[in-house]
Amino acid sequence: MSCAVCAASVESAVRALAGVREAAVNFAAETLQVEYDPTEITPERMREAVQAIGYDLIIEEDSAVERQEQEQRKHYLSLRRRTVWAWALSVPLMLSGMVWMHERWSGWVQLALTIPVLFVFGCSFYLTGWRQVRHGRANMDTLVALSTAIAFLFSLFNTFFPQVWIERGLEPHVYYEAAAMIVAFVLLGKLLEERAKGSTSSAIRKLMGLQPKSARLVEADGTEREVPIAQLKPGDRVSVRPGERIPVDGVVSEGSSYVDESMISGEPLPVGKAAGDRVLAGTINQRGAFVLEAREVGAGTVLARIVQMVQEAQGSKAPVQRIVDRVSAVFVPTVIGISILTFVVWMIVGGSSSLTYALLSAVSVLVIACPCALGLATPTALMVGIGKAAEYHILIKDAFALENLCRIDTVVLDKTGTLTEGKPTVTDWLWLASEAERAVLKSVLLAAEQRSEHPLAIAVVAALSDEEVVVAAETTDFRSLTGRGIVASVGGADYWVGSRGLAAEYVPDMPDTVTGQAELWQEAGKSVIWYGCGSELLAIAAIADPVKPTSVEAVRELERKGIEVHMLTGDGWRTAAAVAAELGIGHFEAEVMPDDKERYIKDLQSQGRRVAMAGDGINDSQALAQADVSVAMGKGTDIAMDVAMVTLMTSDLTLLARAVVLSRQTVRLIRQNLFWAFVYNLIGIPLAAGVLYPAYGILLNPMLASGAMAFSSVSVVMNSLRLKWSKL
């Protein structure tokens, strides 16, 4: 595809087919996304429709991306070869036209040099232009083919029949160098554009580079053999050696190791893996060797889903792109109309040199008009922006999300798992028993809590396990008292663990030091559990869901960007107030249910606020659906990619502030690109038509017009690439 009009042609051709619900072409990425009914139409039928208008499709398959890269590389090398040869012939052609223009043989030499430039190295313009005309369409190739053909045919007539002009007292001019230089400049612009466009998709190539090409399959007899990734299927056993990338998602069946999962989860420390643990494709095995059983292969792996999501996001259209699509649809016919009008006006007012001026101006108008810059303005910025986000472990679902994210002025954050770690942890102990007794009492407490499923009990078990406490006694007569705690018998004695209310039943008179400490912990937003035996209180423990180390900085960063931060939680008011105070959040609601969260966001929106909601993507799904932008906190494989518009793949909330900055930078770039693309044409076309000639005697040469056209496309892509090197 050579311009935005080509993309629109492919899009409309596919969309017109029965069974196709939606079709979107990304000109910069050279991809077509289709939503269709497979019972009515096949991808092969779509390919036929696209081939009928002069293009081709690589239908999605295992090696589709590699095929596309091969085709793009082949196209780039062909383009480079044609550009070099076009310039090699155009430079002596231009010298001949400028230095020996009055020599009789000069016209014939110029003709000989022009033919290969136009019809060998520039033949693609004529072929594509002709195909477009046959289907009642016109694109950038039509403009180039039309302008160069007019200049060439006029020059050809003057070369063979100079007497026609001489007899009328006029000097016959030839414009071979203008025709050839137009082709040379456009080819050079295309070459530079292709190189720059290659850089916009570097993020996808980096992600795809994480996937190994082959794996060592472990046979039933224990032998290993190297096989391509495409041949693996779920249930296969694969051997992974130290330093290798893991080829598929699976579960460790033999051996153990540490795995660097930073490329997917963003967490810097290697994670220990033993039998039964899950491992992900693309992550790096460290020192140990192990055998895994494949669970997800090919497109089913987490890495493949991330790549697909980034590709789809890069291929999606921002709302502003719809304006560009409408402009592109009428752009080329309008330019041809302006060119004809220019020719007619010059023929009327041009005087003795009217034909020369009319021809040069009409050709310049055709050449300088460039739908490429318009077509590249939005997709190149989106590709760079969404690709850069992926490198920062921010997955943006589509262009709509990226464009909306820059407009938000309020962020609503779920507390548990978003601002806090999401798992209760024992932070403090107060033991009333002596040091000598504690080992046995801890063992009993561990035995009792292991039988409970309460989150606070799980926190106690984790804390005691970290202290390497061993269960030495067996619990009998275990009873769970809903909402209060548990009671269990060990060695004939009744041990109890639970709430203050349960403790008061066994120990009516609590020591003041203990109740005072419990109140201090509760004021700090911590839950307190009480542990005793019969009428004796043995210990109390404080349990909290700790605030993530990055949450304070994330809240400050969002507020610095002019975004108001709100917190919602199902916890009690005391805990919510303590966490809000620690984070510096002025707006919070406690004891809210999922319905309440949705209502809270609706209330903010009714005040005219644009709201982003960040949560875990499951119990917050109603609120996420209601928000203008939904943000899921993902970690490793627990990515709510299907729920939210934006997924922060690590547990670091500072990524949300980065996503907002990136969104603002990308949307600013899109606006800059569109402004310059429109302004370029608004200034360039009248200039080429000769509006400055009456006042200043300036008439734009077609060669300069073609150079300016090439520059406009390249400048738009280069402007988008600035985002790659900017800091978030």
Side-chain angles (χ1 to χ4, degrees):
M1 299 184 296
S2 60
C3 68
V5 183
C6 302
S9 297
V10 173
E11 206 170 90
S12 58
V14 175
R15 201 179 281 154
L17 297 171
V20 173
R21 293 189 187 127
E22 190 52 56
V25 173
N26 183 323
F27 172 48
E30 297 182 324
T31 57
L32 165 69
Q33 283 183 41
V34 193
E35 186 184 332
Y36 67 98
D37 183 347
T39 60
E40 289 187 53
I41 190 167
T42 64
E44 285 71 23
R45 174 72 191 90
M46 293 178 216
R47 179 193 275 160
E48 287 167 14
V50 171
Q51 285 172 336
I53 58 167
Y55 306 97
D56 201 359
L57 273 182
I58 300 169
I59 295 170
E60 187 64 67
E61 55 194 41
D62 290 339
S63 60
V65 177
E66 287 85 348
R67 268 278 311 281
Q68 188 187 24
E69 280 194 7
Q70 285 169 12
E71 292 294 332
Q72 285 170 339
R73 180 70 183 155
K74 201 193 311 179
H75 173 63
Y76 174 76
L77 292 173
S78 165
L79 191 56
R80 189 173 69 180
R81 188 177 63 253
R82 288 186 290 133
T83 305
V84 169
W85 275 106
W87 276 94
L89 295 175
S90 294
V91 170
L93 170 60
M94 195 164 58
L95 283 171
S96 175
M98 291 168 68
V99 180
W100 300 291
M101 65 175 79
H102 299 296
E103 300 292 335
R104 291 200 62 181
W105 52 265
S106 177
W108 296 98
V109 169
Q110 288 179 55
L111 173 60
L113 291 169
T114 304
I115 288 171
V117 174
L118 264 58
F119 306 115
V120 177
F121 309 120
C123 66
S124 60
F125 298 118
Y126 300 99
L127 291 172
T128 311
W130 173 243
R131 286 193 198 112
Q132 293 292 316
V133 170
R134 277 173 50 207
H135 290 89
R137 294 185 173 96
N139 66 353
M140 192 203 85
D141 290 338
T142 313
L143 297 180
V144 174
L146 203 56
S147 58
T148 52
I150 290 167
F152 177 76
L153 291 171
F154 182 72
S155 302
L156 194 66
F157 179 85
N158 289 358
T159 304
F160 280 95
F161 309 107
Q163 293 304 120
V164 173
W165 304 108
I166 294 168
E167 286 168 5
R168 287 168 174 75
L170 298 171
E171 187 181 349
H173 290 284
V174 292
Y175 301 103
Y176 292 122
E177 82 283 357
M181 288 303 289
I182 287 168
V183 168
F185 268 119
V186 175
L187 286 174
L188 179 63
K190 285 276 159 206
L191 185 70
L192 295 173
E193 193 183 296
E194 284 296 319
R195 281 191 68 172
K197 271 162 61 179
S199 300
T200 63
S201 55
S202 60
I204 279 287
R205 285 199 296 275
K206 279 182 193 169
L207 283 170
M208 296 195 67
L210 299 177
Q211 179 94 42
K213 296 288 184 283
S214 61
R216 267 188 312 282
L217 180 66
V218 180
E219 304 283 12
D221 59 2
T223 58
E224 296 178 8
R225 67 184 174 93
E226 196 99 357
V227 296
I229 287 286
Q231 289 185 17
L232 291 178
K233 53 189 185 297
D236 284 345
R237 294 171 73 240
V238 177
S239 166
V240 182
R241 292 174 186 165
E244 290 183 340
R245 285 197 186 273
I246 295 168
V248 291
D249 289 3
V251 174
V252 176
S253 57
E254 293 173 25
S256 62
S257 183
Y258 280 84
V259 175
D260 176 2
E261 295 186 337
S262 60
M263 61 286 302
I264 289 194
S265 71
E267 301 296 332
L269 296 175
V271 182
K273 300 290 181 182
D277 289 336
R278 190 176 181 196
V279 289
L280 301 172
T283 57
I284 302 171
N285 181 27
Q286 300 273 282
R287 294 198 183 97
F290 60 87
V291 174
L292 66 88
E293 183 184 316
R295 293 287 169 87
E296 299 285 351
V297 298
T301 65
V302 169
L303 176 62
R305 282 168 60 211
I306 291 170
V307 170
Q308 184 185 0
M309 186 175 174
V310 175
Q311 280 180 317
E312 286 179 1
Q314 287 184 330
S316 63
K317 288 191 177 184
V320 72
Q321 181 67 23
R322 296 190 193 109
I323 302 165
V324 179
D325 289 347
R326 285 199 291 271
V327 170
S328 298
V330 297
F331 187 89
V332 176
T334 304
V335 169
I336 292 170
I338 293 169
S339 177
I340 293 167
L341 182 64
T342 301
F343 185 86
V344 171
V345 170
W346 270 109
M347 287 300 290
I348 295 167
V349 302
S352 60
S353 302
S354 60
L355 184 59
T356 300
Y357 292 151
L359 193 68
L360 287 176
S361 300
V363 167
S364 293
V365 167
L366 289 173
V367 169
I368 204 165
C370 183
C372 292
L374 282 173
L376 290 166
T378 304
T380 52
L382 284 175
M383 286 175 73
V384 176
I386 289 167
K388 183 161 184 165
E391 290 174 11
Y392 276 95
H393 298 96
I394 303 164
L395 293 183
I396 296 173
K397 200 163 198 175
D398 55 26
F400 177 82
L402 188 72
E403 198 167 313
N404 263 15
L405 194 58
C406 78
R407 298 193 182 106
I408 62 164
D409 52 30
T410 308
V411 168
V412 177
L413 303 170
D414 176 50
K415 180 184 82 73
T416 307
T418 303
L419 290 163
T420 65
E421 296 288 359
K423 57 179 185 184
T425 306
V426 176
T427 58
D428 306 274
W429 289 96
L430 175 61
W431 285 94
L432 303 177
S434 66
E435 193 75 43
E437 296 173 304
R438 286 183 199 172
V440 174
L441 294 175
K442 285 181 180 180
S443 174
V444 171
L445 178 60
L446 179 60
E449 291 285 60
Q450 277 180 337
R451 297 185 64 177
S452 173
E453 293 179 356
H454 195 279
L456 298 185
I458 294 167
V460 171
V461 170
L464 295 174
S465 300
D466 287 344
E467 291 183 34
E468 298 183 353
V469 173
V470 179
V471 175
E474 190 176 329
T475 58
T476 57
D477 191 24
F478 178 86
R479 282 173 291 146
S480 176
L481 310 171
T482 305
R484 293 162 64 217
I486 59 168
V487 178
S489 294
V490 178
D494 281 346
Y495 288 86
W496 47 267
V497 188
S499 66
R500 170 82 181 262
L502 179 66
E505 291 178 22
Y506 287 93
V507 188
D509 298 317
M510 294 283 180
D512 290 342
T513 53
V514 176
T515 54
Q517 182 61 67
E519 283 171 13
L520 285 173
W521 284 343
Q522 285 173 328
E523 282 169 16
K526 299 178 182 181
S527 302
V528 180
I529 63 161
W530 306 69
Y531 170 42
C533 178
S535 60
E536 183 185 3
L537 179 65
L538 300 173
I540 60 172
I543 297 175
D545 181 5
V547 168
K548 292 174 188 171
T550 55
S551 292
V552 176
E553 178 55 33
V555 170
R556 282 193 198 132
E557 195 62 40
L558 287 166
E559 287 178 339
R560 273 199 291 268
K561 288 175 176 35
I563 297 169
E564 193 172 277
V565 180
H566 295 239
M567 182 185 81
L568 300 180
T569 178
D571 291 349
W573 281 96
R574 187 178 278 180
T575 302
V579 172
E582 184 180 347
L583 292 167
I585 296 175
H587 308 270
F588 68 91
E589 288 280 332
E591 298 175 2
V592 292
M593 303 301 285
D595 289 350
D596 300 326
K597 291 180 182 180
E598 182 185 5
R599 201 157 34 247
Y600 189 86
I601 286 171
K602 277 183 180 173
D603 289 344
L604 287 171
Q605 288 170 329
S606 68
Q607 297 165 28
R609 293 188 166 275
R610 293 192 179 96
V611 185
M613 167 74 189
D616 62 14
I618 301 162
N619 63 348
D620 300 311
S621 56
Q622 284 173 259
L624 286 167
Q626 178 62 39
D628 297 294
V629 176
S630 51
V631 182
M633 301 295 293
K635 187 175 178 184
T637 57
D638 303 320
I639 300 167
M641 288 190 282
D642 299 330
V643 178
M645 296 179 190
V646 179
T647 301
L648 310 180
M649 289 174 63
T650 75
S651 55
D652 184 355
L653 193 62
T654 57
L655 289 181
L656 180 54
R658 280 186 171 176
V660 171
V661 172
L662 185 67
S663 166
R664 289 175 180 177
Q665 287 179 343
T666 307
V667 170
R668 195 182 307 126
L669 265 185
I670 290 171
R671 287 173 183 157
Q672 284 173 4
N673 286 349
L674 288 173
F675 173 79
W676 287 114
F678 277 113
V679 164
Y680 164 82
N681 281 300
L682 285 172
I683 295 172
I685 291 174
L687 200 63
V691 292
L692 296 181
Y693 188 79
Y696 303 103
I698 297 172
L699 197 62
L700 196 64
N701 186 297
M703 284 186 286
L704 293 176
S706 61
M709 187 205 71
F711 175 75
S712 70
S713 301
V714 176
S715 62
V716 161
V717 181
M718 296 308 290
N719 189 44
S720 297
L721 287 173
R722 283 192 307 119
L723 186 59
K724 282 186 76 171
W725 301 293
S726 65
K727 289 187 178 179
L728 294 187

